[in-house]
């Protein structure tokens, strides 16, 4: 039914970040390649869209993205040390937060260097397009779209490429992560909400199969699409769900000394892994720990995640906090190996997010066998089941009480039950995705219906 598999990574190839979506895309790529090597599936090819066409770059050509990816991950690490010293001096003298944002951008941001980054990335894409032939597809082809296609630079290229591939007979399966910009626009702003709505319409118009990362997201998409469908027959009605994998790949590489010391200490820290974003609810967590430090001053908290948007207030609160560097720690640029080390040594993991499409740190924490404290929301109940300790978002006292109870149990040398459920691996998650795709291909062949035309 499926003779060739193509997996698009148009965004992730050029991204040096280690956020949730990049981790999903890289994990599915890794496991599908392994399955192809074991001849369990047709050997998949990595593709990307350029100028309205799909291309399959070689590994050497994919490596062209290493420079823009490094800039995207932490642009200051790619700059001469003399520049960093000079920029710090200028910012110190002027005292301008805006100037510091441009001259000394946080990891995951580009500041003044955005133009240079975009130039490098555009040059790489043009070089690949000039040396590769555009792909041609047929009825036995699957194109899996797991990436961040709402990003500006992909909008004009992705959907024309997808439309051509579908017209040639390929089956298009798109991953859906959440509807947060539509259900909670207060966290993203009206401009991004409108852009996301257009993205969702494009997905629905160009996909034969839509795969949500949770039952909750599938239900939300199923209910939402009819409210925006101008012509419902042009919208995909095959919407399914699958489970994300839980394990982190055993990444190798150097681990900085302060990370080793912190998580190897007699009292290791509690850990939160999340991009700094208002919906991730770092303010709530800080409120809870300000309460806890009054009764348990030895407790430590480590925050791991790149600095996102609309988070200046919480970042300032953390960087100005009297416990910073003592009981409070912040890392915004950890490698895969360092993140693995943090999960391994953490005293427990806390995830106080207000709204999610899944909550990948929850299953990652459970995979490492950690006590996991999670805000009580429907999606977190779906993902965490009976293996998490749930707290109310109504008051930070709720989390503080749960942590104090856990600390008291540990002090009494009790061994409260830790998660024992068999979690889904990334290989099993990838198998679920491909099984859904195979079933969709079989249904299409059995019905022998012509492909839907995009309006």
């Amino acid at each position: 039914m499926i003779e060739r598999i193509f997996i698009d990574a148009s965004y992730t190839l050029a991204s040096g970040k280690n956020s949730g979506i990049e981790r999903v895309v890289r994990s599915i790529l890794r496991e599908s390649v392994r399955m192809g090597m074991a001849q369990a599936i047709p050997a998949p090819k990595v593709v990307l869209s350029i100028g309205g066409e799909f291309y399959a770059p070689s590994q050497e050509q994919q490596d062209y993205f290493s420079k823009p990816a490094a800039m995207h991950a932490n642009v200051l690490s790619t700059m001469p040390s003399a520049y960093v010293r000079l920029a710090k001096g200028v910012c110190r003298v002027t005292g301008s937060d805006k100037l510091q944002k441009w001259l000394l951008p946080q990891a995951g941001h580009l500041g003044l260097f955005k133009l240079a980054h975009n130039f490098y990335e555009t040059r790489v894409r043009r070089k690949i397009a000039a040396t590769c032939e555009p792909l041609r597809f047929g009825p036995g082809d699957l194109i899996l779209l797991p990436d961040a296609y709402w990003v500006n630079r992909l909008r004009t290229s992705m959907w024309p490429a997808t439309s051509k591939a579908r017209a040639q007979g390929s089956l298009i399966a798109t991953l859906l992560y959440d509807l947060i910009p539509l259900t909670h626009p207060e966290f993203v702003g009206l401009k991004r909400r409108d852009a996301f709505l257009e993205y969702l319409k494009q997905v629905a118009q160009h996909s034969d199969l839509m795969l949500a990362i949770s039952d909750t997201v599938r239900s939300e998409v199923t209910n939402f699409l009819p409210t925006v469908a101008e012509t419902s027959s042009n919208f995909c009605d095959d919407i399914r769900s699958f489970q994300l994998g839980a394990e982190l790949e055993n990444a190798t590489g150097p681990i900085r000394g302060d990370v080793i010391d912190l998580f190897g200490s007699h009292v290791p820290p509690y850990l939160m892994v999340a991009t700094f974003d208002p919906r991730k609810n770092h303010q709530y967590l800080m409120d809870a720990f300000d309460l806890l430090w009054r009764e348990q001053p030895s407790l430590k908290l480590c925050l791991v995640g790149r600095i996102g948007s609309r988070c200046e207030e919480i970042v300032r609160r953390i960087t100005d906090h009297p416990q910073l560097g003592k009981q409070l720690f912040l890392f915004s640029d950890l490698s895969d190996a360092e993140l693995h080390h943090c999960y391994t040594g953490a005293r427990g993991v806390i995830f106080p997010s207000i709204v999610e499409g899944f909550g990948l740190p929850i299953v990652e924490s459970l995979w490492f066998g950690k006590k996991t404290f999670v805000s009580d929301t429907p999606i977190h109940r779906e993902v965490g089941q009976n293996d998490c300790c749930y707290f109310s978002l109504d008051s930070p006292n709720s989390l503080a009480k749960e942590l104090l109870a856990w600390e008291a149990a540990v002090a009494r040398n009790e061994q409260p039950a830790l998660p024992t459920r068999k979690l889904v691996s990334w290989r099993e998650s990838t198998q679920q995705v491909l099984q859904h795709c195979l079933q969709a291909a079989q249904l299409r062949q059995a019905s022998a219906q012509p492909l839907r035309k995009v309006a």
Side-chain angles (χ1 to χ4, degrees):
M1 289 296 179
I2 295 177
E3 298 172 1
R4 297 191 301 173
I5 297 175
F6 301 91
I7 303 177
D8 180 86
S10 293
Y11 176 78
T12 295
L13 277 177
S15 173
K17 296 187 295 185
N18 198 23
S19 301
I21 290 175
E22 288 93 339
R23 298 217 299 278
V24 172
V25 175
R26 290 169 186 148
S27 296
I28 289 177
L29 281 171
R30 180 187 69 241
E31 295 304 325
S32 60
V33 168
R34 289 175 177 174
M35 292 165 65
M37 293 175 63
Q39 299 183 337
I41 59 172
K45 289 186 178 181
V46 177
V47 299
L48 69 160
S49 67
I50 306 172
E53 302 280 359
F54 279 117
Y55 295 85
S58 66
Q59 184 58 58
E60 180 181 1
Q61 291 170 323
Q62 292 176 42
D63 292 341
Y64 294 164
F65 286 105
S66 60
K67 185 170 184 177
M71 293 180 70
H72 204 183
N74 188 348
V75 69
L76 292 183
S77 69
T78 68
M79 295 293 110
S81 57
Y83 167 82
V84 177
R85 290 195 299 270
L86 177 61
K88 286 183 177 178
V90 171
C91 293
R92 185 167 53 251
V93 170
T94 61
S96 170
D97 291 339
K98 189 172 183 179
L99 190 62
Q100 179 163 332
K101 180 180 179 180
W102 281 99
L103 297 182
L104 296 169
Q106 296 277 359
H109 296 266
L110 292 165
L112 184 67
F113 306 98
K114 184 174 183 178
L115 186 62
H117 171 270
N118 291 347
F119 169 77
Y120 284 127
E121 184 177 337
T122 299
R123 189 171 69 172
V124 168
R125 294 183 186 277
R126 287 177 177 173
K127 186 175 181 180
I128 291 173
T131 55
C132 288
E133 288 292 326
L135 291 167
R136 294 295 174 259
F137 301 96
D141 293 335
L142 163 67
I143 304 178
L144 180 63
L145 307 180
D147 223 331
Y149 305 112
W150 51 88
V151 175
N152 283 335
R153 63 180 179 273
L154 296 183
R155 293 176 193 164
T156 58
S157 176
M158 173 55 60
W159 305 119
T162 303
S163 182
K164 290 178 184 178
R166 289 189 70 248
Q168 293 165 4
S170 62
L171 184 139
I172 307 296
T174 307
L175 266 59
L176 294 171
Y177 290 92
D178 59 63
L179 294 186
I180 291 171
L182 303 178
T183 60
H184 295 75
E186 65 272 21
F187 293 131
V188 301
L190 298 182
K191 186 176 180 179
R192 286 181 63 188
R193 179 204 63 184
D194 293 343
F196 189 88
L197 177 59
E198 181 58 29
Y199 147 79
L200 182 63
K201 290 180 180 179
Q202 295 288 349
V203 170
Q205 289 175 350
H206 291 88
S207 301
D208 299 294
L209 172 64
M210 298 164 69
L211 293 170
I213 61 172
S214 65
D215 291 338
T216 299
V217 172
R218 178 184 54 77
S219 178
E220 289 177 346
V221 173
T222 300
N223 293 330
F224 184 82
L225 277 182
T227 69
V228 296
E230 298 172 2
T231 306
S232 59
S233 60
N234 288 331
F235 273 45
C236 176
D237 58 4
D238 192 351
I239 306 170
R240 312 183 190 193
S241 64
F242 72 103
Q243 293 178 283
L244 296 182
E247 86 276 22
L248 284 174
E249 181 75 351
N250 287 322
T252 58
I255 300 174
R256 67 194 79 177
D258 48 355
V259 175
I260 294 175
D261 293 342
L262 177 61
F263 285 88
S265 62
H266 177 66
V267 182
Y270 284 96
L271 175 68
M272 178 179 174
V273 178
T275 298
F276 279 80
D277 180 289
R279 70 182 176 86
K280 299 295 184 179
N281 217 9
H282 290 80
Q283 292 280 18
Y284 175 100
L285 182 62
M286 290 301 302
D287 289 343
F289 265 81
D290 279 339
L291 293 172
L292 284 166
W293 280 321
R294 297 173 189 171
E295 298 189 39
Q296 295 272 2
S298 64
L299 291 184
K300 298 175 184 175
L301 173 64
C302 180
L303 306 173
V304 170
R306 73 177 185 88
I307 307 300
S309 58
R310 300 169 175 258
C311 59
E312 292 82 3
E313 183 179 347
I314 182 60
V315 171
R316 189 178 299 111
R317 176 178 178 179
I318 292 167
T319 54
D320 292 344
H321 201 285
Q323 294 286 13
L324 186 66
K326 301 173 184 176
Q327 309 304 121
L328 174 64
F329 304 87
L330 169 64
F331 296 102
S332 59
D333 60 346
L334 291 190
S335 67
D336 287 348
E338 289 173 326
L339 182 59
H340 191 283
H341 186 80
C342 292
Y343 272 122
T344 301
R347 192 174 186 86
V349 177
I350 307 171
F351 197 63
S353 180
I354 297 171
V355 60
E356 290 290 326
F358 185 82
L360 197 53
I362 297 174
V363 291
E364 289 176 346
S365 172
L366 296 176
W367 183 274
F368 282 91
K370 297 299 175 179
K371 184 69 174 180
T372 307
F373 301 85
V374 182
S375 50
D376 195 353
T377 68
I379 183 61
H380 291 167
R381 287 280 182 177
E382 177 188 335
V383 174
Q385 298 183 27
N386 295 323
D387 295 320
C388 295
C389 177
Y390 296 94
F391 55 86
S392 170
L393 289 178
D394 292 340
S395 169
N397 278 305
S398 178
L399 172 58
K401 289 178 180 178
E402 295 293 347
L403 290 171
L404 287 173
W406 169 250
E407 287 293 324
V410 172
R412 294 192 299 267
N413 291 319
E414 294 180 0
Q415 295 295 325
L418 290 173
T420 58
R421 169 168 50 110
K422 183 181 183 300
L423 296 160
V424 172
S425 69
W426 275 114
R427 182 178 181 85
E428 293 167 329
S429 177
T430 304
Q431 288 172 334
Q432 289 181 22
V433 168
L434 295 175
Q435 185 63 32
H436 282 308
C437 293
L438 177 61
Q439 291 172 358
Q442 291 171 336
L443 286 172
R444 189 171 77 176
Q445 186 181 62
S447 64
Q449 293 178 350
L451 291 172
R452 292 177 293 106
K453 293 181 179 181
V454 177

